[in-house]
């Protein structure tokens, strides 16, 4: 059994698509927001995609996500908050994993839930649905959302699509595809909005452990190793916990996502310029990135900001499995207190590696120092 073999909640194989392999079958006039002539085209399933799906077949990945109480309870709270909209409606869960969000929706009164999962964990998801006596409401479809058959429009799309630095391993493009093909006008998307933040970070402990260690090793001078140590330690961004005390300024907004309106083309390259001064007398060691998502109601309905469920991965909030992303600098650290620092940032989403992104900090300077920075690639 593999992607493209949908399974029902009772664990039996569901009907295969009769369309061409790798392409979704176009629905009739009643299906989706677009006519068949203008429906979104499914991108090809690449070797990179297959490797990504295989990685998500491992139980440990799902165990880590489910043990993240901030993540899972935020989704459950959002579903409960929008229960009046979900009850009696049709829900599409994009990338359902073990099916926990689909089950939350079914328990909230959804009439039918399509739980779509491309990895082999879909088989276990079907078993879990059956174990909870919800096979009459939840249909597990094993395959990419771009390839499965759903013969009706949906009222709600829910997905835990966010990755590190928001876009790495992100399924947002798949959510957009599902939205454009199946979501009814006025439908609900959870989460509805996302914001990616960035701030300069001081991290002397990490710098000391990785770089200054080589100054004196058991009484032997090894400072000549520092250059190589920087290359090895800082060649890629690291996923780690950044404390609130390490953040030197108020965070800057890198990008904002409105899941109701964003287009795939907007994800391919995000470029932003920043200027800031430190609030602390501390050395600059790099930049930290984190995000939050909001679970607002359907487009056109004004949100009550006091009641909105927000899932935050900020350093000052409760920790999540996403932690934060730290981009280190190769340069000798220096204080940016009372100095204007300019930064140009580019985040490029993979075209061939659709679940990958490239982070490029390509110009960074203060009033007294100009530094060009290397490309950082999550791969």
């Amino acid at each position: 059994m593999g992607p493209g073999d949908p399974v029902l909640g009772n664990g039996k194989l569901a009907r295969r698509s009769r369309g061409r392999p790798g392409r979704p079958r176009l629905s009739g006039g009643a299906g989706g927001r677009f006519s068949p002539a203008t429906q979104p085209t499914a991108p090809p399933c690449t070797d990179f995609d297959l490797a990504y799906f295989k990685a998500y077949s491992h139980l440990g990945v799902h165990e880590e996500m489910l043990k993240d109480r901030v993540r899972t309870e935020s989704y459950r709270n959002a579903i409960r908050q929008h229960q009046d909209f979900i009850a009696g409606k049709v829900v599409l869960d994009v990338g359902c994993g073990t099916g926990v969000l689909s089950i939350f929706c079914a328990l909230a009164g959804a009439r039918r839930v399509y739980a779509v999962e491309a990895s082999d964990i879909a088989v276990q998801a079907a078993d879990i649905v059956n174990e909870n006596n919800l096979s009459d409401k939840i249909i597990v479809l094993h395959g990419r959302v771009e390839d499965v058959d759903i013969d009706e429009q949906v009222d709600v799309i829910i997905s835990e699509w966010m990755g590190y630095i928001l876009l790495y391993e992100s399924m947002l493009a798949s959510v957009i595809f599902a939205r454009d093909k199946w979501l009814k006008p006025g439908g609900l998307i959870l989460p509805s909005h996302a914001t990616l933040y960035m701030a300069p970070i001081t991290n002397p402990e990490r710098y000391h452990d990785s770089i200054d260690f080589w100054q004196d090793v058991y009484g032997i001078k090894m400072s000549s190793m520092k250059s190589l140590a920087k290359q090895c330690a800082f060649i890629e961004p690291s996923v780690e916990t950044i404390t609130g005390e390490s953040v030197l300024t108020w965070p800057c907004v890198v990008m904002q996502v409105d899941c109701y309106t964003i287009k795939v083309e907007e994800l391919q390259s995000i470029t932003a310029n920043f200027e800031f001064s430190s609030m602390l007398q501390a050395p600059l060691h790099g930049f930290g990135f984190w995000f939050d998502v909001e679970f607002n109601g359907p487009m056109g309905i004004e949100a009550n900001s006091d009641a909105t469920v927000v899932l935050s991965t900020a350093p000052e909030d409760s920790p999540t499995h996403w932690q934060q992303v730290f981009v280190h600098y190769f340069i000798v650290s220096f204080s940016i207190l009372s100095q204007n620092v300019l930064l140009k940032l580019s985040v490029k989403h993979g075209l061939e590696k659709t679940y990958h992104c490239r982070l490029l900090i390509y110009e960074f300077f203060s009033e007294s120092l100009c530094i060009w920075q290397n490309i950082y690639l999550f791969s």
Side-chain angles (χ1 to χ4, degrees), residues 59 62-63 66 96-101 103 117 121 124-126 128-129:
L59 178 62
H62 300 278
E63 181 178 354
L66 291 172
C96 72
T98 55
V100 64
L101 302 186
I103 292 174
E117 174 58 42
I121 204 71
Q124 283 71 42
I128 293 169
V129 167

Side-chain angles (χ1 to χ4, degrees), residues 92-374:
L92 171 57
D93 183 356
V94 180
C96 72
T98 55
V100 64
L101 302 186
S102 296
I103 292 174
F104 287 162
C105 289
L107 295 177
R111 175 169 58 88
R112 184 178 298 110
V113 181
Y114 292 99
V116 180
E117 174 58 42
S119 78
D120 288 343
I121 204 71
V123 177
Q124 283 71 42
D127 292 338
I128 293 169
V129 167
N130 188 52
E131 184 179 357
N132 286 273
N133 300 314
L134 290 170
S135 57
D136 59 330
K137 286 190 174 184
I138 300 176
I139 301 173
V140 177
L141 299 173
H142 188 188
R144 296 193 309 161
V145 74
E146 292 87 352
D147 299 329
V148 301
D149 276 336
I150 299 175
D151 294 329
E152 61 180 324
Q153 291 179 302
V154 302
D155 304 281
V156 181
I157 292 177
I158 189 167
S159 179
E160 196 271 77
W161 54 264
M162 303 83 68
Y164 302 121
I165 204 169
L166 190 62
L167 294 181
Y168 177 64
E169 288 192 1
S170 165
M171 297 187 302
L172 182 53
S174 296
V175 173
I176 294 171
F177 180 94
R179 177 200 70 191
D180 292 347
K181 186 171 184 180
W182 288 298
L183 187 65
K184 293 179 181 177
L188 175 66
I189 303 177
L190 297 176
S192 58
H193 298 82
T195 305
L196 175 63
Y197 299 95
M198 179 276 296
I201 301 297
T202 185
N203 194 345
E205 293 82 9
R206 171 67 185 275
Y207 193 89
H208 175 76
D209 291 344
S210 301
I211 307 303
D212 290 341
F213 163 78
W214 295 100
Q215 186 70 30
D216 186 317
V217 182
Y218 298 102
I220 301 172
K221 296 178 181 179
M222 294 191 180
S223 59
S224 57
M225 294 288 291
K226 283 188 174 182
S227 176
L228 179 60
K230 290 179 182 181
Q231 293 180 36
C232 295
F234 305 152
I235 194 169
E236 286 189 335
S238 61
V239 177
E240 58 187 80
T241 297
I242 297 173
T243 63
E245 294 77 13
S246 299
V247 181
L248 294 174
T249 72
W250 292 108
C252 303
V253 173
V254 177
M255 70 173 298
Q256 293 180 306
V257 173
D258 184 336
C259 293
Y260 291 107
T261 60
I262 193 167
K263 299 178 180 179
V264 172
E265 293 76 18
E266 298 176 53
L267 303 176
Q268 293 179 1
S269 181
I270 300 99
T271 302
N273 300 330
F274 305 97
E275 182 175 352
F276 47 81
S277 297
S278 176
M279 298 182 294
L280 304 173
Q281 180 69 51
L284 170 68
H285 292 104
F287 287 86
F289 295 82
W290 60 88
F291 64 87
D292 61 36
V293 295
E294 299 179 7
F295 296 84
N296 296 309
M299 186 170 60
I301 298 179
E302 187 173 350
N304 181 352
S305 59
D306 294 332
T308 298
V309 175
V310 178
L311 167 54
S312 173
T313 66
E316 67 271 17
D317 290 320
S318 298
T320 71
H321 77 283
W322 285 285
Q323 299 179 276
Q324 292 83 36
V325 171
F326 189 16
V327 177
H328 303 263
Y329 275 119
F330 291 87
I331 61 170
V332 176
S333 58
F334 63 97
S335 174
I336 61 172
L337 186 67
S338 302
Q339 296 190 71
N340 289 325
V341 175
L342 303 180
L343 175 75
K344 293 184 179 181
L345 171 72
S346 178
V347 181
K348 296 184 181 295
H349 207 250
L351 296 178
E352 186 178 65
K353 299 182 180 181
T354 54
Y355 295 96
H356 294 215
C357 68
R358 185 175 67 178
L359 173 63
L360 172 61
I361 298 179
Y362 58 93
E363 186 174 315
F364 165 71
F365 57 92
S366 69
E367 294 172 346
S368 59
L369 184 64
C370 178
I371 303 141
W372 291 84
Q373 193 62 30
N374 288 343

